[in-house]
Amino acid sequence: MIEVLVVDDDVRVARVNAAYVEKVPGFRVAGTAHGAAEALAALEAPPRPDLVLMDHYLPDGTGLEVVREMRRRGHPSDVIMVTAARDVSTVQAAMRHGALQYLVKPFAFAGLRAKLEAYAELRRTLDGGGEAEQAEVDRIFGTLSAPTEPRLPKGHSPTTAELVRQALLHADGPLSAQEIAERTGVSRQTAQRYLKLLERTGRATLTLKYGDAGRPEHRYAWATRA
């Protein structure tokens, strides 16, 4: 089993990402952390993680600072950045500090699964040992370029998708399109459009709430609530 440490400042997001990890065969969650100091402490505790899913924005530092300190201390754990930080300087710094992959929020289970499966393939290849011809080297590096989830359909904004996603993640129960609109500041029609997209792609679940009369109310919840 590949042991994974999930680092995210948001407790609920960490739970969702941990649930994603547990759904991929061959992977197991070694622990979760919600800050830089907590992440570094978790790296010292058994089971030592093989892989860290690292958020960048942490309350007591940044994910990149954690990665730098990991390397200074000699921790060999591999790192996949999982963060909303999308500025080129952060992406470039992640590469320089040895992050194997960089997954930009928001993403669906399929996006993370592709990264994890590519990582597992890389591990299997490297564990074989021996020498590699150019074709084998190309294949090893090629596993790091596994495709992520499809782009949002034309006319959909990643920023709005993230607003709706966060509203669902932080909700105590299923929400209607009107409630999502009130929490995010978008129109009810826009909220409904993004909720339908999330439901179609398996990222949100739909339930019907029946009242005394009229059509049932559509209510949505994040698909992997924990």
Side-chain angles (χ1 to χ4, degrees):
M1 297 294 287
I2 297 174
E3 302 286 352
V4 182
L5 173 64
V6 178
V7 181
D8 199 290
D9 69 316
D10 190 306
V11 174
R12 294 191 180 187
V13 172
R15 288 175 180 171
V16 168
N17 290 345
Y20 280 168
V21 171
E22 293 284 0
K23 290 172 66 176
V24 181
F27 289 83
R28 179 169 56 201
V29 175
T32 59
H34 312 296
E38 190 178 356
L40 290 169
L43 286 163
E44 304 286 353
R48 295 288 183 91
D50 304 297
L51 175 66
V52 182
L53 299 185
M54 182 70 70
D55 190 14
H56 182 58
Y57 299 118
L58 301 172
D60 54 345
T62 68
L64 289 181
E65 289 171 348
V66 175
V67 176
R68 283 197 292 268
E69 183 62 16
M70 283 173 56
R71 301 310 180 217
R72 190 189 71 80
R73 297 185 185 185
H75 290 297
S77 303
D78 294 314
V79 175
I80 295 177
M81 298 297 294
V82 180
T83 175
R86 60 183 69 218
D87 56 286
V88 173
S89 61
T90 301
V91 176
Q92 186 179 48
M95 293 174 60
R96 288 174 174 170
H97 287 87
L100 293 180
Q101 285 278 13
Y102 198 106
L103 185 58
V104 178
K105 298 177 182 177
F107 58 87
F109 170 60
L112 181 57
R113 180 180 60 196
K115 299 295 188 187
L116 294 180
E117 289 176 346
Y119 176 73
E121 176 62 23
L122 176 65
R123 293 260 308 202
R124 284 191 293 269
T125 301
L126 296 179
D127 287 347
E131 296 184 348
E133 300 295 337
Q134 184 62 52
E136 181 70 3
V137 172
D138 291 342
R139 191 171 76 84
I140 290 171
F141 278 88
T143 62
L144 301 180
S145 302
T148 57
E149 63 187 286
R151 293 179 179 272
L152 288 171
K154 186 177 180 179
H156 288 73
S157 162
T159 301
T160 304
E162 177 65 4
L163 285 173
V164 175
R165 174 180 178 270
Q166 290 294 331
L168 291 176
L169 282 171
H170 289 84
D172 294 326
L175 298 175
S176 67
Q178 182 60 43
E179 289 170 326
I180 289 288
E182 292 171 355
R183 296 185 183 207
T184 61
V186 302
S187 69
R188 183 187 180 283
Q189 290 76 15
T190 297
Q192 186 69 56
R193 186 157 58 96
Y194 281 82
L195 288 168
K196 286 182 176 179
L197 173 64
L198 292 173
E199 193 268 330
R200 285 199 309 271
T201 55
R203 284 171 279 182
T205 58
L206 169 65
T207 57
L208 300 179
K209 181 181 179 182
Y210 291 89
D212 296 332
R215 293 190 300 175
E217 181 182 49
H218 290 63
R219 301 184 69 80
Y220 298 85
W222 193 250
T224 54
R225 294 181 64 83

